[in-house]
Amino acid sequence: MKLDRLMGILTILLQNEKVTAPYLAKKFEVNRRTIGRDIDALCQAGIPIVTQQGSGGGISIAEGFKLDKSVLTTDELSGIVAALKGIGSISEQSRIERTLDKLGANSDAVVSLREPVIIDLSSYYKVQLTEKIEIIKRAVLEGKLIEFDYYYEKGESHRVIEPYFVIFQWTSWYVYGYCMERRDWRMFKLLRLCDLQMCDESYVVRDIPSEKLDFQIMYSGDIKVVALFDPSVKYRLVETYGLDCFTETDEGLRFAMDFSDREYIVNWLLGFKDKVKVLEPQDIAEELQAAAKSIVSLYL
């Protein structure tokens, strides 16, 4: 646990110009004396930490510091580099380069930076995505509300939320926070929100119920879909949901899974054209049939 805490403190110091001992103590749920010992341990490891007393004081890392590779094992360094490069795909590149430079204190470390894992978290809309993420990150750090126009199945609406996290999950980026309109915790897809702005109004940080942090449960489905797929599209099922999502039968690949987003599952099934037949629920099958008839009518 101590090593995890030391790495956590080091990460915070690399990300911030200055922090206070009380902040670190609260963050890691220990007392200030423990933080003091941790700072001493980091200094003994060769990390030049500067502490300043009095008003406006705090803890910081000396300007121009480069992290000695000997502090980390090769596997640890490799994991950090892979993560940094992944974040770099959607962040201001200069910040990531500066952090990577701190890891490259000598020629041996530079060799270690040749990480074989490439993680690209960006998308075709990288510029828009990066701008949105930067605004949300700043709002979270400053404790400011954000507002935006949001487009979804029922139309569009204007939302004001208390932002808490930027999340990458289910191949998309989301902002998670407390929606002032719904008076509840909500997740919004970044590509669906426009005119994002940080408000002047601040908010008091809320305690997030543990069940609200389990995003898998949040999106666990109540729409059970059973369908038969043509064997020719097996690779697409494996790619999206893995080998366990279907069983091979004489009639085809029998697929069964629970979904929560009706719009998503209908559009996903339509993408298979005549290579899938929905067995249940009946209303989904009828919706697909109506969609198929509507498409045909466009070409008559």
Side-chain angles (χ1 to χ4, degrees):
M1 286 299 293
K2 179 177 179 179
L3 179 59
D4 291 341
R5 190 171 64 248
L6 290 175
M7 290 304 299
I9 292 173
L10 180 57
T11 300
I12 290 174
L13 292 175
L14 287 170
Q15 292 176 340
N16 299 273
E17 291 185 7
K18 187 184 297 182
V19 296
T20 64
Y23 170 82
L24 292 174
K26 182 178 180 180
K27 184 78 173 177
F28 295 99
E29 299 180 342
V30 295
N31 57 44
R32 292 180 61 177
R33 183 174 296 178
T34 298
I35 293 298
R37 289 196 293 266
D38 289 341
I39 296 301
D40 289 340
L42 290 172
C43 288
Q44 291 171 12
I47 300 170
I49 296 178
V50 178
T51 59
Q52 295 175 299
Q53 304 296 325
S55 177
I59 304 168
S60 60
I61 294 181
E63 188 69 26
F65 160 69
K66 287 180 179 289
L67 180 61
D68 188 343
K69 180 198 169 194
S70 63
V71 176
L72 303 169
T73 66
T74 301
D75 286 344
E76 289 169 339
L77 181 62
S78 178
I80 291 173
V81 171
L84 285 171
K85 288 183 175 180
I87 294 298
S89 65
I90 49 85
S91 296
E92 182 185 331
Q93 197 63 30
S94 60
R95 294 183 185 176
I96 303 301
E97 289 171 351
R98 287 198 299 270
T99 306
L100 286 171
D101 184 58
K102 293 179 187 296
L103 295 168
N106 54 53
S107 58
D108 291 337
V110 172
V111 172
S112 298
L113 296 185
R114 296 174 185 170
E115 169 59 40
V117 178
I118 298 176
I119 304 173
D120 190 344
L121 300 175
S122 62
S123 70
Y124 179 78
Y125 305 96
K126 179 178 179 178
V127 175
Q128 296 180 30
L129 191 62
T130 300
E131 291 176 352
K132 291 175 181 177
I133 290 175
E134 289 301 318
I135 291 173
I136 296 168
K137 283 170 56 180
R138 192 166 70 252
V140 173
L141 293 174
E142 296 182 16
K144 300 287 189 179
L145 297 174
I146 59 173
E147 60 178 332
F148 51 84
D149 293 327
Y150 195 67
Y151 296 82
Y152 62 120
E153 183 181 4
K154 296 180 180 179
E156 59 186 89
S157 64
H158 186 75
R159 299 295 180 95
V160 178
I161 73 168
E162 300 172 358
Y164 285 80
F165 299 109
V166 175
I167 300 171
F168 182 80
Q169 198 164 15
W170 311 293
T171 73
S172 296
W173 284 95
Y174 300 81
V175 56
Y176 180 74
Y178 189 82
C179 179
M180 307 306 289
E181 178 182 342
R182 302 297 185 186
R183 299 294 174 186
D184 199 0
W185 301 93
R186 289 287 189 273
M187 189 176 288
F188 301 91
K189 185 175 286 189
L190 293 194
L191 290 180
R192 290 187 180 181
L193 59 86
C194 298
D195 297 325
L196 172 65
Q197 297 181 41
M198 185 171 75
C199 305
D200 293 330
E201 184 180 351
S202 301
Y203 65 91
V204 177
V205 176
R206 302 171 188 264
D207 291 327
I208 307 177
S210 58
E211 67 273 13
K212 295 293 185 177
L213 287 172
D214 191 336
F215 303 123
Q216 294 296 338
I217 291 178
M218 182 184 301
Y219 280 84
S220 60
D222 54 3
I223 304 174
K224 183 174 182 59
V225 173
V226 180
L228 279 176
F229 286 85
D230 189 273
S232 65
V233 297
K234 179 191 291 187
Y235 73 98
R236 291 183 59 186
L237 297 180
V238 172
E239 173 186 320
T240 308
Y241 294 109
L243 282 169
D244 296 334
C245 73
F246 63 85
T247 55
E248 300 192 37
T249 71
D250 293 338
E251 298 176 297
L253 307 176
R254 186 180 178 86
F255 170 91
M257 186 160 294
D258 295 337
F259 294 88
S260 61
D261 190 331
R262 183 184 180 90
E263 178 189 16
Y264 165 78
I265 185 56
V266 169
N267 290 334
W268 183 67
L269 291 168
L270 281 171
F272 287 91
K273 302 176 184 177
D274 61 342
K275 301 300 182 182
V276 60
K277 179 180 180 180
V278 173
L279 304 180
E280 56 181 86
Q282 184 61 34
D283 61 326
I284 294 288
E286 292 173 353
E287 186 169 345
L288 289 172
Q289 186 178 37
K293 290 180 179 178
S294 180
I295 292 171
V296 170
S297 69
L298 292 175
Y299 298 92
L300 295 179

